[in-house]
Amino acid sequence: MAYDLITMGRIGVDLYPLQTGVPLDRVTSFGKFLGGSATNVAVAAARLGLGTAVITRTGDDPFGTYLHEALRGFGVDDRWVTPVPGLPTPVTFCEVFPPDDFPLYFYRLPKAPDLEIHPGELDLGAIRAARVFWVTGTGLSEEPSRTATLGALAHRARSGITVFDLDWRPMFWDDPGSARPFYAEALRHATVAVGNVDEVEIATGTREPHAAARALLDAGVELAVVKQGPKGVLAVHRDGERAEVPPLPVTVLNGLGAGDAFGGSLCHGLLAGWDLERVVRHANAAGAIVASRLECSSAMPTPDEVASALAAGAVR
């Protein structure tokens, strides 16, 4: 079986406050959700009808059991989600101060299981056969995940659509200044690069969106996607096609997870063969819908929800 999408990277439990505008020390109740960027992208794509799977690892604990159940509930294949004895499943807390302040607190000590993905454990045949393969910058932050991620990319050899989500989380790196060579190696094997202005700066040395897009293309990808927050999204293809699309108006409740919804929709649109502007408009709408909701994974929109938002010209 060839999957539409296989993602590889972070997983964990999101514990999000059920009160907005309240600092974490005063929150009294939380909701528990499946989390982790690569995992959320797989969920988002599954919601849009793609056959998806995720390669990651959890703790051998009740939270790990919960994540397997949640993945199956969302229709994401969990066959490559394995336990790591002795390491706890990561937990992430956030604070919710709409519209633009959502501090995150990652509990990934002594080490996150999703960084214990070993090269010899990978199903390289399935990775190469997938229509889309998605990896993240976090996967490069520590061994053995770094070697596994780069090895998977090299084996795939740019077959199909290979997406590198720049996913810059400096707190996951022992030496953040060492990241750029590993990013450059990943870009050499990818066909698509996706990141916000902070992330493209880590990869290319520039924050200016058009210059960063050109630098990403020069680094080897065929499509560069630069997310600019309230300024919208710039997408530039090596063949000259480009799209610069404003965001869909939305009242933001929690901006976390919007980028993952964007990613799942991006995969959907690229596989559907849409023109670049349609791909980005659809992805923007998916992200806006999630931004209007508290949670991440369970907030991922259905095709009808995205179509309704696009028809209305806003998320209502």
Side-chain angles (χ1 to χ4, degrees):
M1 170 186 175
Y3 292 86
D4 294 317
L5 169 66
I6 295 176
T7 69
M8 179 174 172
R10 212 161 63 241
I11 195 170
V13 175
D14 288 344
L15 294 176
Y16 284 0
L18 299 182
Q19 298 119 324
T20 62
V22 178
L24 202 56
D25 59 300
R26 298 183 184 178
V27 173
T28 59
S29 57
F30 297 85
K32 180 181 68 175
F33 308 103
L34 171 74
S37 179
T39 303
N40 281 337
V41 170
V43 171
R47 278 278 172 92
L48 295 173
L50 300 188
T52 70
V54 61
I55 301 168
T56 190
R57 305 197 75 185
T58 70
D60 189 8
D61 55 24
F63 275 152
T65 301
Y66 161 72
L67 294 175
H68 278 278
E69 293 171 350
L71 284 168
R72 291 193 290 265
F74 288 126
V76 177
D77 196 320
D78 65 343
R79 70 181 62 193
W80 296 305
V81 182
T82 57
V84 180
L87 291 180
T89 297
V91 175
T92 302
F93 290 88
C94 79
E95 293 176 306
V96 181
F97 295 104
D100 58 3
D101 187 18
F102 309 101
L104 279 168
Y105 302 87
F106 293 99
Y107 291 81
R108 292 168 60 85
L109 296 173
K111 183 180 184 180
D114 54 57
L115 293 174
E116 280 292 315
I117 300 172
H118 291 262
E121 299 168 343
L122 297 176
D123 186 337
L124 294 174
I127 288 170
R128 188 176 177 92
R131 298 174 72 197
V132 183
F133 181 52
W134 179 290
V135 301
T136 74
T138 295
L140 302 176
S141 65
E142 196 168 337
E143 294 290 3
S145 172
R146 177 186 299 148
T147 296
T149 299
L150 294 174
L153 287 170
H155 182 84
R156 185 165 168 84
R158 296 168 60 88
S159 58
I161 299 167
T162 304
V163 184
F164 179 32
D165 174 5
L166 302 178
D167 183 41
W168 176 239
R169 303 284 184 179
M171 70 286 289
F172 296 162
W173 292 75
D174 289 335
D175 176 11
S178 69
R180 187 167 294 169
F182 301 116
Y183 271 59
E185 177 68 11
L187 287 168
R188 198 166 63 82
H189 296 293
T191 63
V192 180
V194 183
N196 60 33
V197 291
D198 293 329
E199 293 166 336
V200 298
E201 183 179 21
I202 293 301
T204 69
T206 180
R207 296 175 62 84
E208 199 287 314
H210 291 84
R214 288 192 297 272
L216 290 169
L217 295 176
D218 290 343
V221 303
E222 297 172 8
L223 174 63
V225 181
V226 183
K227 296 182 283 189
Q228 306 173 73
K231 293 184 179 179
V233 175
L234 170 69
V236 182
H237 197 280
R238 183 180 298 281
D239 67 8
E241 185 182 11
R242 66 174 53 222
E244 195 154 9
V245 179
L248 202 66
V250 59
T251 300
V252 174
L253 176 59
N254 184 357
L256 303 173
D260 302 331
F262 181 99
S265 174
L266 177 71
C267 296
H268 172 72
L270 292 175
L271 287 177
W274 296 342
D275 66 78
L276 197 52
E277 181 165 333
R278 183 181 179 189
V279 170
V280 175
R281 287 191 182 280
H282 191 280
N284 269 355
I289 290 169
V290 172
S292 73
R293 299 170 175 175
L294 172 65
E295 64 274 22
C296 295
S297 54
S298 55
M300 298 301 173
T302 65
D304 287 346
E305 288 173 326
V306 177
S308 295
L310 287 169
V315 177
R316 305 192 188 283

